[in-house]
Structures are given as C-alpha cells and as structure tokens.
Coordinates of all heavy atoms in Angstrom, one line a residue:
M1 N 107.2 87.9 115.7 CA 106.2 88.3 116.6 C 105.3 89.3 116.1 O 104.5 89.1 115.2 CB 106.8 88.7 118.0 CG 107.6 87.6 118.6 SD 108.3 88.1 120.2 CE 109.2 89.6 119.8
I2 N 105.4 90.6 116.5 CA 104.5 91.6 116.0 C 104.8 91.9 114.6 O 103.9 92.2 113.8 CB 104.6 92.9 116.9 CG1 103.4 93.8 116.6 CG2 105.9 93.6 116.8 CD1 103.2 94.9 117.6
D3 N 106.1 91.9 114.2 CA 106.5 92.1 112.8 C 105.8 91.1 111.9 O 105.3 91.4 110.9 CB 108.0 92.1 112.7 CG 108.5 92.3 111.3 OD1 108.6 93.5 110.9 OD2 108.7 91.3 110.6
Q4 N 105.8 89.8 112.3 CA 105.2 88.8 111.5 C 103.7 89.0 111.4 O 103.1 88.7 110.4 CB 105.6 87.4 112.1 CG 107.0 87.1 112.0 CD 107.4 85.8 112.7 OE1 106.6 85.3 113.6 NE2 108.5 85.2 112.4
A5 N 103.1 89.4 112.5 CA 101.6 89.6 112.5 C 101.2 90.7 111.5 O 100.3 90.6 110.8 CB 101.1 89.9 113.9
I6 N 102.0 91.8 111.5 CA 101.8 92.9 110.6 C 102.0 92.4 109.2 O 101.1 92.7 108.3 CB 102.8 94.1 110.9 CG1 102.5 94.7 112.3 CG2 102.7 95.1 109.8 CD1 103.5 95.6 112.8
R7 N 103.0 91.7 108.9 CA 103.3 91.2 107.6 C 102.2 90.3 107.1 O 101.8 90.3 105.9 CB 104.7 90.6 107.5 CG 105.8 91.6 107.6 CD 107.2 90.9 107.7 NE 108.2 91.9 107.9 CZ 108.9 92.6 107.0 NH1 108.6 92.4 105.7 NH2 109.8 93.4 107.4
K8 N 101.6 89.5 108.0 CA 100.5 88.6 107.7 C 99.3 89.4 107.2 O 98.6 89.1 106.2 CB 100.2 87.7 108.9 CG 99.1 86.7 108.6 CD 98.8 85.8 109.8 CE 97.9 84.7 109.6 NZ 96.5 85.1 109.4
V9 N 99.0 90.5 108.0 CA 97.9 91.3 107.6 C 98.2 92.0 106.3 O 97.3 92.1 105.4 CB 97.7 92.4 108.7 CG1 96.7 93.5 108.2 CG2 97.1 91.8 110.0
L10 N 99.4 92.4 106.0 CA 99.7 93.1 104.8 C 99.6 92.1 103.6 O 99.1 92.5 102.5 CB 101.2 93.6 104.8 CG 101.3 94.9 105.6 CD1 102.8 95.2 105.8 CD2 100.6 96.1 105.0
V11 N 99.9 90.8 103.8 CA 99.8 89.8 102.8 C 98.3 89.6 102.4 O 97.9 89.6 101.3 CB 100.4 88.5 103.2 CG1 100.0 87.3 102.3 CG2 101.9 88.6 103.2
E12 N 97.5 89.6 103.5 CA 96.1 89.3 103.3 C 95.3 90.5 102.8 O 94.2 90.3 102.2 CB 95.5 88.7 104.6 CG 96.1 87.4 105.0 CD 95.6 87.0 106.4 OE1 95.0 87.7 107.1 OE2 96.0 85.8 106.8
H13 N 95.7 91.7 103.2 CA 94.8 92.9 102.9 C 95.5 94.0 102.2 O 94.8 94.9 101.7 CB 94.3 93.4 104.2 CG 93.4 92.4 105.0 ND1 92.1 92.1 104.7 CD2 93.8 91.6 106.0 CE1 91.7 91.2 105.5 NE2 92.7 90.8 106.3
G14 N 96.9 93.9 102.1 CA 97.6 95.1 101.5 C 97.6 95.1 100.0 O 97.9 96.1 99.4
R15 N 97.4 94.0 99.3 CA 97.4 93.9 97.9 C 98.7 94.4 97.3 O 98.7 95.1 96.2 CB 96.2 94.6 97.3 CG 94.9 94.1 97.7 CD 93.8 94.8 97.0 NE 92.5 94.4 97.4 CZ 91.4 95.1 97.5 NH1 91.4 96.4 97.0 NH2 90.3 94.7 97.9
L16 N 99.8 94.1 97.9 CA 101.1 94.5 97.4 C 101.6 93.6 96.3 O 101.3 92.4 96.4 CB 102.1 94.6 98.6 CG 101.8 95.6 99.7 CD1 102.8 95.5 100.8 CD2 101.8 97.0 99.1
A17 N 102.3 94.1 95.4 CA 102.8 93.3 94.3 C 104.2 92.7 94.5 O 104.8 92.1 93.7 CB 102.9 94.2 93.0
V18 N 104.6 92.8 95.8 CA 105.9 92.2 96.2 C 105.7 91.2 97.3 O 104.7 91.2 98.0 CB 106.9 93.3 96.6 CG1 107.2 94.3 95.5 CG2 106.3 94.1 97.8
D19 N 106.7 90.4 97.5 CA 106.7 89.4 98.6 C 106.9 90.2 99.9 O 108.0 90.7 100.2 CB 107.8 88.4 98.4 CG 107.8 87.3 99.5 OD1 107.1 87.5 100.5 OD2 108.6 86.4 99.3
V20 N 105.9 90.3 100.7 CA 105.9 91.1 101.9 C 107.0 90.6 102.9 O 107.6 91.4 103.6 CB 104.6 91.1 102.6 CG1 104.6 91.8 104.0 CG2 103.5 91.8 101.7
S21 N 107.3 89.3 102.9 CA 108.3 88.8 103.8 C 109.7 89.3 103.5 O 110.6 89.2 104.3 CB 108.3 87.3 103.8 OG 108.7 86.8 102.5
T22 N 109.9 89.8 102.3 CA 111.3 90.2 101.8 C 111.5 91.7 101.9 O 112.7 92.2 101.8 CB 111.6 89.8 100.4 OG1 110.7 90.5 99.5 CG2 111.4 88.3 100.2
I23 N 110.5 92.5 102.2 CA 110.7 93.9 102.2 C 111.3 94.4 103.5 O 111.0 93.8 104.6 CB 109.4 94.7 101.9 CG1 108.3 94.4 103.0 CG2 108.8 94.4 100.5 CD1 107.0 95.3 102.9
D24 N 112.0 95.4 103.4 CA 112.7 96.1 104.6 C 111.6 96.7 105.4 O 110.6 97.2 104.9 CB 113.7 97.1 104.1 CG 114.4 97.8 105.3 OD1 115.3 97.1 105.8 OD2 114.0 98.9 105.7
G25 N 111.8 96.7 106.8 CA 110.8 97.3 107.7 C 110.6 98.8 107.5 O 109.5 99.3 107.8
E26 N 111.5 99.4 106.9 CA 111.5 100.9 106.6 C 111.0 101.2 105.2 O 110.8 102.4 104.9 CB 112.8 101.5 106.8 CG 113.4 101.3 108.2 CD 112.8 102.3 109.3 OE1 112.3 103.3 108.9 OE2 112.9 101.9 110.4
A27 N 110.8 100.2 104.4 CA 110.4 100.4 103.0 C 109.0 101.1 102.9 O 108.1 100.8 103.7 CB 110.3 99.1 102.2
D28 N 108.9 102.0 102.0 CA 107.6 102.7 101.8 C 106.6 101.8 101.2 O 106.7 101.5 100.0 CB 107.8 104.0 101.0 CG 106.6 104.9 100.9 OD1 105.5 104.4 100.8 OD2 106.8 106.1 100.9
L29 N 105.6 101.5 101.9 CA 104.5 100.6 101.4 C 103.7 101.2 100.3 O 103.3 100.5 99.4 CB 103.6 100.1 102.6 CG 104.3 99.3 103.7 CD1 103.3 99.1 104.8 CD2 104.9 98.0 103.2
Y30 N 103.6 102.5 100.3 CA 102.8 103.1 99.2 C 103.6 103.0 97.9 O 103.0 102.9 96.9 CB 102.5 104.6 99.6 CG 101.5 104.6 100.8 CD1 101.9 104.9 102.0 CD2 100.1 104.4 100.6 CE1 101.0 104.9 103.1 CE2 99.2 104.4 101.6 CZ 99.7 104.7 102.9 OH 98.8 104.7 103.9
E31 N 104.9 103.2 98.0 CA 105.7 103.0 96.8 C 105.7 101.6 96.3 O 105.9 101.3 95.1 CB 107.2 103.4 97.1 CG 107.4 104.9 97.2 CD 108.8 105.3 97.4 OE1 109.7 104.5 97.3 OE2 109.0 106.5 97.7
L32 N 105.4 100.6 97.2 CA 105.4 99.2 96.8 C 104.0 98.8 96.4 O 103.7 97.6 96.1 CB 105.8 98.3 98.0 CG 107.3 98.5 98.4 CD1 107.6 97.7 99.7 CD2 108.2 98.2 97.3
G33 N 103.0 99.8 96.3 CA 101.7 99.5 95.7 C 100.6 99.5 96.7 O 99.4 99.3 96.3
L34 N 100.8 99.9 97.9 CA 99.6 100.0 98.9 C 98.8 101.2 98.5 O 99.3 102.3 98.3 CB 100.2 100.2 100.3 CG 99.1 100.2 101.4 CD1 98.5 98.9 101.6 CD2 99.7 100.7 102.7
T35 N 97.5 101.0 98.3 CA 96.6 102.1 97.9 C 95.9 102.6 99.2 O 95.9 101.9 100.2 CB 95.5 101.6 96.9 OG1 94.7 100.6 97.6 CG2 96.1 101.0 95.7
S36 N 95.2 103.7 99.1 CA 94.5 104.2 100.2 C 93.4 103.3 100.6 O 93.1 103.1 101.8 CB 94.0 105.6 99.9 OG 93.1 105.6 98.8
H37 N 92.7 102.7 99.6 CA 91.7 101.7 99.9 C 92.2 100.5 100.7 O 91.7 100.1 101.7 CB 91.0 101.3 98.7 CG 89.9 100.3 98.9 ND1 88.6 100.6 99.4 CD2 89.8 99.0 98.6 CE1 87.9 99.5 99.5 NE2 88.6 98.5 99.0
A38 N 93.3 100.0 100.2 CA 94.0 98.8 100.8 C 94.5 99.2 102.2 O 94.4 98.4 103.2 CB 95.1 98.3 100.0
S39 N 94.9 100.4 102.4 CA 95.4 100.8 103.8 C 94.3 100.8 104.8 O 94.5 100.5 106.0 CB 96.1 102.2 103.7 OG 95.3 103.2 103.4
V40 N 93.1 101.2 104.3 CA 91.9 101.1 105.2 C 91.6 99.6 105.6 O 91.4 99.3 106.8 CB 90.7 101.7 104.6 CG1 89.4 101.5 105.4 CG2 90.9 103.2 104.4
N41 N 91.7 98.7 104.6 CA 91.5 97.3 104.9 C 92.6 96.8 105.9 O 92.3 96.0 106.8 CB 91.5 96.5 103.6 CG 90.3 96.8 102.8 OD1 89.2 97.2 103.3 ND2 90.4 96.6 101.5
V42 N 93.8 97.3 105.7 CA 94.9 96.9 106.6 C 94.6 97.4 108.0 O 94.8 96.7 109.0 CB 96.3 97.4 106.0 CG1 97.4 97.3 107.1 CG2 96.7 96.7 104.8
M43 N 94.2 98.6 108.1 CA 93.9 99.2 109.4 C 92.8 98.4 110.1 O 93.0 98.1 111.3 CB 93.4 100.7 109.3 CG 93.1 101.3 110.6 SD 92.0 102.7 110.4 CE 90.5 102.0 109.9
L44 N 91.8 98.1 109.4 CA 90.7 97.3 110.0 C 91.1 95.9 110.5 O 90.7 95.4 111.5 CB 89.5 97.2 109.0 CG 88.8 98.5 108.7 CD1 87.8 98.4 107.6 CD2 88.1 99.1 110.0
A45 N 91.9 95.3 109.6 CA 92.5 94.0 110.0 C 93.4 94.0 111.2 O 93.4 93.1 112.0 CB 93.2 93.4 108.8
L46 N 94.2 95.1 111.2 CA 95.1 95.3 112.4 C 94.3 95.5 113.7 O 94.6 94.9 114.7 CB 96.0 96.5 112.2 CG 97.1 96.3 111.2 CD1 97.8 97.6 110.8 CD2 98.2 95.3 111.6
E47 N 93.2 96.3 113.6 CA 92.3 96.5 114.7 C 91.8 95.1 115.2 O 91.7 94.9 116.4 CB 91.2 97.5 114.4 CG 91.7 98.9 114.3 CD 90.6 99.9 114.0 OE1 89.5 99.5 113.4 OE2 90.8 101.1 114.3
D48 N 91.3 94.3 114.3 CA 90.8 93.0 114.7 C 91.9 92.1 115.2 O 91.7 91.4 116.3 CB 90.2 92.3 113.4 CG 88.8 92.9 113.1 OD1 88.2 93.6 113.9 OD2 88.4 92.6 111.9
S49 N 93.0 92.1 114.6 CA 94.1 91.2 115.0 C 94.7 91.5 116.4 O 95.0 90.6 117.2 CB 95.3 91.2 114.0 OG 94.9 90.7 112.8
F50 N 94.8 92.8 116.7 CA 95.4 93.2 117.9 C 94.4 93.7 119.0 O 94.8 94.2 120.0 CB 96.4 94.3 117.7 CG 97.6 93.8 116.9 CD1 97.7 93.9 115.6 CD2 98.7 93.2 117.6 CE1 98.8 93.4 114.9 CE2 99.8 92.8 117.0 CZ 99.9 92.8 115.6
D51 N 93.1 93.7 118.6 CA 92.0 94.1 119.5 C 92.3 95.5 120.0 O 92.2 95.8 121.2 CB 91.9 93.1 120.7 CG 90.6 93.3 121.4 OD1 89.6 93.8 120.8 OD2 90.5 93.1 122.7
I52 N 92.5 96.4 119.1 CA 92.7 97.8 119.4 C 91.9 98.6 118.4 O 91.3 98.1 117.5 CB 94.2 98.2 119.2 CG1 94.8 97.8 117.9 CG2 95.0 97.6 120.4 CD1 94.9 98.8 116.9
E53 N 91.8 99.9 118.7 CA 91.2 100.9 117.7 C 92.1 102.0 117.5 O 92.6 102.6 118.4 CB 89.9 101.4 118.3 CG 89.1 102.2 117.3 CD 87.7 102.6 117.8 OE1 87.1 101.7 118.5 OE2 87.3 103.7 117.5
F54 N 92.4 102.3 116.2 CA 93.2 103.5 115.9 C 92.5 104.8 116.2 O 91.4 105.0 115.6 CB 93.7 103.4 114.4 CG 94.7 102.4 114.2 CD1 94.4 101.1 113.7 CD2 96.1 102.7 114.4 CE1 95.3 100.2 113.5 CE2 97.1 101.8 114.1 CZ 96.7 100.5 113.7
P55 N 93.0 105.6 117.0 CA 92.3 106.9 117.3 C 92.5 107.9 116.1 O 93.4 107.6 115.3 CB 93.1 107.5 118.5 CG 94.4 106.8 118.5 CD 94.2 105.5 117.9
D56 N 91.7 108.9 116.0 CA 91.7 109.8 114.9 C 93.1 110.4 114.6 O 93.5 110.5 113.5 CB 90.8 111.0 115.1 CG 89.3 110.5 115.0 OD1 89.0 109.4 114.5 OD2 88.4 111.3 115.4
E57 N 93.9 110.7 115.7 CA 95.2 111.3 115.5 C 96.2 110.3 114.8 O 97.2 110.8 114.3 CB 95.8 111.8 116.8 CG 96.0 110.8 117.9 CD 94.8 110.7 118.8 OE1 93.7 111.2 118.5 OE2 95.0 110.1 119.9
L58 N 95.9 109.0 114.8 CA 96.8 108.1 114.1 C 96.2 107.7 112.7 O 96.9 106.9 112.0 CB 97.0 106.8 114.9 CG 97.9 106.9 116.1 CD1 98.0 105.6 116.9 CD2 99.3 107.4 115.7
L59 N 95.1 108.3 112.3 CA 94.6 108.0 111.0 C 95.2 108.9 109.9 O 94.5 109.8 109.4 CB 93.0 108.1 111.0 CG 92.3 107.1 112.0 CD1 90.8 107.4 111.9 CD2 92.7 105.7 111.7
R60 N 96.5 108.6 109.7 CA 97.3 109.4 108.8 C 98.0 108.4 107.8 O 98.3 107.3 108.2 CB 98.4 110.3 109.5 CG 97.9 111.2 110.6 CD 99.0 112.0 111.1 NE 100.1 111.1 111.7 CZ 100.2 110.8 113.0 NH1 99.3 111.3 113.9 NH2 101.2 110.0 113.4
K61 N 98.3 108.9 106.7 CA 99.0 108.1 105.7 C 100.3 107.6 106.3 O 100.7 106.4 106.1 CB 99.3 108.9 104.4 CG 99.9 108.1 103.3 CD 100.0 108.9 102.0 CE 100.7 108.1 100.9 NZ 100.8 108.9 99.7
S62 N 101.0 108.4 107.0 CA 102.3 108.1 107.6 C 102.2 106.9 108.6 O 103.2 106.2 108.7 CB 103.0 109.3 108.2 OG 102.2 109.8 109.3
T63 N 101.1 106.7 109.2 CA 101.0 105.7 110.2 C 101.1 104.3 109.5 O 101.6 103.3 110.1 CB 99.6 105.7 110.9 OG1 99.5 107.0 111.6 CG2 99.4 104.6 111.9
F64 N 100.7 104.2 108.3 CA 100.7 103.0 107.6 C 101.7 102.9 106.4 O 101.6 102.1 105.5 CB 99.3 102.7 107.0 CG 98.3 102.7 108.1 CD1 97.5 103.8 108.3 CD2 98.1 101.6 108.9 CE1 96.6 103.9 109.4 CE2 97.2 101.6 110.0 CZ 96.4 102.8 110.2
S65 N 102.7 103.8 106.5 CA 103.7 104.0 105.4 C 104.8 102.9 105.4 O 105.4 102.7 104.3 CB 104.4 105.3 105.5 OG 105.1 105.5 106.7
S66 N 105.0 102.2 106.5 CA 106.0 101.1 106.5 C 105.6 100.1 107.6 O 104.8 100.4 108.5 CB 107.4 101.7 106.8 OG 107.5 102.2 108.1
V67 N 106.2 99.0 107.6 CA 106.0 98.0 108.6 C 106.5 98.6 110.0 O 105.8 98.5 111.0 CB 106.8 96.7 108.3 CG1 106.8 95.7 109.5 CG2 106.3 96.0 107.1
K68 N 107.6 99.3 110.0 CA 108.1 99.9 111.2 C 107.1 101.0 111.7 O 106.9 101.1 112.9 CB 109.5 100.6 110.9 CG 110.1 101.3 112.1 CD 110.6 100.4 113.1 CE 111.5 101.1 114.2 NZ 110.7 101.4 115.4
A69 N 106.5 101.8 110.9 CA 105.6 102.8 111.3 C 104.3 102.2 111.9 O 103.8 102.7 112.9 CB 105.2 103.7 110.1
I70 N 103.9 101.1 111.3 CA 102.7 100.4 111.8 C 103.1 99.8 113.2 O 102.3 99.9 114.2 CB 102.3 99.2 110.9 CG1 101.7 99.8 109.6 CG2 101.2 98.4 111.6 CD1 101.5 98.8 108.5
E71 N 104.3 99.2 113.3 CA 104.7 98.6 114.6 C 104.8 99.7 115.7 O 104.4 99.5 116.8 CB 106.1 98.0 114.4 CG 106.5 97.1 115.5 CD 107.8 96.3 115.3 OE1 108.1 96.1 114.1 OE2 108.4 95.9 116.2
D72 N 105.3 100.9 115.3 CA 105.4 102.0 116.2 C 104.0 102.4 116.7 O 103.8 102.7 117.9 CB 106.1 103.2 115.6 CG 107.6 102.9 115.4 OD1 108.2 101.9 116.0 OD2 108.3 103.7 114.7
A73 N 103.1 102.5 115.8 CA 101.7 102.9 116.1 C 101.1 101.9 117.1 O 100.4 102.2 118.0 CB 100.9 103.1 114.9
L74 N 101.3 100.6 116.8 CA 100.7 99.6 117.6 C 101.3 99.6 119.0 O 100.6 99.4 120.0 CB 100.9 98.2 117.0 CG 100.1 97.9 115.7 CD1 100.5 96.6 115.1 CD2 98.6 97.9 116.0
A75 N 102.6 99.9 119.1 CA 103.3 100.0 120.4 C 102.7 101.1 121.2 O 102.5 101.0 122.4 CB 104.8 100.1 120.2
E76 N 102.5 102.2 120.5 CA 101.9 103.4 121.1 C 100.5 103.1 121.7 O 100.1 103.6 122.7 CB 101.8 104.6 120.1 CG 101.3 105.9 120.7 CD 101.2 107.0 119.6 OE1 102.1 107.0 118.7 OE2 100.3 107.8 119.7
L77 N 99.8 102.2 121.0 CA 98.5 101.8 121.5 C 98.5 100.6 122.5 O 97.4 100.1 122.9 CB 97.6 101.4 120.3 CG 97.3 102.6 119.3 CD1 96.6 102.1 118.1 CD2 96.5 103.7 120.0
G78 N 99.7 100.2 122.8 CA 99.8 99.1 123.8 C 99.6 97.7 123.3 O 99.4 96.8 124.0
A79 N 99.7 97.6 121.9 CA 99.4 96.3 121.3 C 100.7 95.4 121.2 O 100.6 94.3 120.9 CB 98.8 96.5 119.9
A80 N 101.8 96.1 121.4 CA 103.1 95.3 121.2 C 103.5 94.5 122.5 O 103.2 94.9 123.5 CB 104.2 96.3 120.8

C-alpha cells in the first residue's frame, strides 16, 4: 500500500543503484546512493502522488533518510 507507493516513487525519482523492492524499510537511502538533488525530486513526486505538501519543518534530510522515515512523515501529514 503506502510502502509500495513510496518505493514506486523511489524507483522513478530516487536514482538508487539498488533494487528498491529489496531494501529494508530502515535502510539509509543516502548510503544507498540518494543524492540531495534526487531527494528533492522524490519529495515533489510524493507531494503529487499523495496530494500533500511537506511543511518547512519536515524539509530535513532525516525525513527522506529511509522508506520508514518517509512513511512516518506521510502519516504525520495524514496521507497514510
């Protein structure tokens, strides 16, 4: 569900060098190759996919550091 939607966005916009479907939800996406530029693209795609907007207080590296962190942020925004 939400996990799959996040992973789909990561496949399309994250430019990761690994198979996103196989990574652990807690794995550090930055260690797996997510760049700051790609994280902005991921954020924008998530906003489109879930019809939400990330507020300034969630625009931190840690918000996009793992699938779980993204899922937690989306839940906080009522997208889950």
Side-chain angles (χ1 to χ4, degrees):
M1 298 179 305
I2 193 167
D3 180 85
Q4 292 173 343
I6 292 168
R7 290 175 188 271
K8 182 177 186 291
V9 167
L10 287 170
V11 166
E12 294 172 356
H13 302 280
R15 298 183 185 152
L16 298 174
V18 297
D19 181 352
V20 174
S21 67
T22 64
I23 61 172
D24 183 79
E26 301 282 339
D28 187 320
L29 297 176
Y30 293 100
E31 287 181 7
L32 297 174
L34 185 68
T35 65
S36 58
H37 179 74
S39 68
V40 170
N41 291 334
V42 166
M43 179 201 67
L44 294 172
L46 290 167
E47 288 182 336
D48 286 343
S49 294
F50 291 95
D51 195 29
I52 51 98
E53 186 174 323
F54 285 94
D56 289 345
E57 60 268 14
L58 286 180
L59 299 181
R60 305 181 301 262
K61 185 176 179 178
S62 61
T63 300
F64 304 97
S65 63
S66 69
V67 172
K68 178 76 169 96
I70 294 169
E71 191 171 340
D72 290 348
L74 290 172
E76 184 178 325
L77 296 172

